[in-house]
Amino acid sequence: MSADLDALRQRVVEAVTSGKSMGQVFKEMGITPDNPAVVQEIMAQAGIDPAAMFPDGQVDMASFVNNMTKDLSPEMKKQLAQLIEGMAGEINNGQPLPPDIQEFLKSWQKS
């Protein structure tokens, strides 16, 4: 499936206004853990270059995300954690998130 950032934006807006699950939208667009090419294509369309962001390859993603979201309120972090958990369950066919991600999201819910 080919990724289209504009189509994704439109589908997200439609989901928000209709109450449709974001996880279902992502799944329908092919954005799933077993299809990283779609995410890479969407990132490229958005002008995001992971190689430039992480020139050394491996990165402490929890620290990176915490740094990017440091100005969000605790309530916003709780809501994002719940959204991520719900979407992950849908797009990952009910498989649990890796333990380190689960712990990270729990820390946001306790904020």
Side-chain angles (χ1 to χ4, degrees):
M1 172 175 278
S2 179
D4 179 350
L5 182 59
D6 289 328
L8 177 60
R9 284 183 189 136
Q10 181 179 357
R11 297 286 305 279
V12 167
V13 169
E14 290 170 1
V16 169
T17 58
S18 71
K20 187 173 186 177
S21 157
M22 296 297 282
Q24 186 61 35
V25 169
F26 277 47
K27 194 171 187 177
E28 289 170 1
M29 296 289 296
I31 302 170
T32 60
D34 59 338
N35 197 359
V38 172
V39 174
Q40 291 168 348
E41 188 175 336
I42 288 173
M43 289 174 69
Q45 290 175 28
I48 300 170
D49 180 7
M53 290 175 67
F54 311 114
D56 298 329
Q58 194 70 314
V59 66
D60 177 3
M61 195 54 97
S63 295
F64 175 76
V65 171
N66 274 329
N67 187 44
M68 296 292 291
T69 60
K70 65 183 177 223
D71 294 329
L72 293 179
S73 70
E75 184 58 32
M76 179 60 76
K77 287 182 179 181
K78 287 178 188 178
Q79 291 175 3
L80 282 172
Q82 292 169 348
L83 176 68
I84 292 166
E85 287 175 334
M87 285 178 37
E90 289 184 55
I91 64 174
N92 202 22
N93 296 321
Q95 296 295 316
L97 289 167
D100 56 339
I101 295 175
Q102 289 179 16
E103 287 302 313
F104 178 78
L105 292 175
K106 283 181 189 175
S107 75
W108 271 17
Q109 292 177 348
K110 294 177 185 174
S111 298

